[in-house]
Amino acid sequence: ETEQASASGRRKLAEALASSGFELLDLEADGTAYSTCRGLGYPDLDALYAAVTTGDMPPDDVAAALLAH
């Protein structure tokens, strides 16, 4: 269930970023996604993506944090 929540949240975040012309994979590869998730108080990307799924962190808010990093 946690894996499904993480995968779903990752897709939602990727869609939010794509509308701004950014690729989540690139932000994961260069460390931006991880450092942003830690800055938002999440222990890892799976926890952040799961929070996007549950609505605790709206994807647009996470996208804005990633792009501001």
Side-chain angles (χ1 to χ4, degrees), residues 20-59:
S20 298
F22 290 88
E23 293 289 331
L24 179 56
L25 188 58
D26 292 339
L27 297 172
E28 290 171 337
D30 72 7
T32 299
Y34 181 74
S35 62
T36 300
C37 94
R38 297 291 293 159
L40 292 171
Y42 293 91
D44 56 39
L45 289 171
D46 285 335
L48 176 62
Y49 299 153
V52 170
T53 297
T54 62
D56 290 336
M57 285 295 299

Side-chain angles (χ1 to χ4, degrees), residues 1 7 15 30 39 47 54 58 61 64 67:
E1 183 175 306
E15 290 169 7
D30 72 7
T54 62
D61 290 357
L67 298 179

